[in-house]
Amino acid sequence: MPDGWELLPEGLYAFPGPLRDRLVSAILAGAKRTTTGLLAELELEDEVTGDDVGACEVVVDSQGRAVAVTRTTAARVVRLGDVTLEHAVAEGEGHTSVAQWRAGHERFWRSDEETAWFREQGAEPPVIDDDTRVVCWRFKVEAQDPAAR
């Protein structure tokens, strides 16, 4: 890992468990180069999207280990109904259609864990429909722990 990696913010994909493990594996294998999040999450965390282009973060696995450093190369806010097939495929989860990608993401965004997270922040989970604002990020792996493969 590069010098100073321990000072970088954490990149947490899903919640610890099987889904995070699959997503982190896809990042390490080079299959996952995009990701999507609800704009409502960022707003609750007082994060501003677009400011993160060029920023690095440490990808953390389900055991809390730092396994890679990624750099954001693009970030854009779009309507959920406007997410492209190219973005969906580049998420590296094996989706071959936007509908398939969206069904998986909606399951996650409506999950008990995600709903609980919003309520812990003092907010109701957002309505998920075509007009829901999401952030589409593109990233590249700058470094990875060889032992993490």
Side-chain angles (χ1 to χ4, degrees), residues 5-77:
W5 68 266
E6 65 279 355
L7 302 175
L8 296 172
E10 290 183 332
L12 303 175
Y13 290 79
F15 296 99
L19 178 57
R20 181 179 288 177
D21 293 339
R22 284 193 308 274
L23 298 175
V24 168
S25 290
I27 290 168
L28 296 175
K32 182 170 184 62
R33 289 297 177 257
T34 63
T35 196
T36 311
L38 294 170
L39 182 60
E41 288 180 358
L42 293 174
E43 291 172 341
L44 285 173
E45 295 175 333
D46 290 326
E47 293 183 32
V48 179
T49 190
D51 288 350
D52 51 353
V53 173
C56 290
E57 65 182 12
V58 175
V59 177
V60 176
D61 69 10
S62 289
Q63 290 71 45
R65 293 182 304 233
V67 296
V69 173
T70 61
R71 179 179 306 277
T72 300
T73 59
R76 60 189 176 95
V77 177

Side-chain angles (χ1 to χ4, degrees), residues 116-132:
W117 182 88
F118 271 97
R119 293 195 172 127
E120 288 167 7
Q121 309 310 308
E124 285 300 309
V127 172
I128 307 294
D129 61 22
D130 278 350
D131 292 323
T132 302

Side-chain angles (χ1 to χ4, degrees), residues 14-17 108 110-120:
F15 296 99
F108 175 79
R110 290 185 172 127
S111 69
D112 291 342
E113 287 175 304
E114 184 76 348
T115 298
W117 182 88
F118 271 97
R119 293 195 172 127
E120 288 167 7

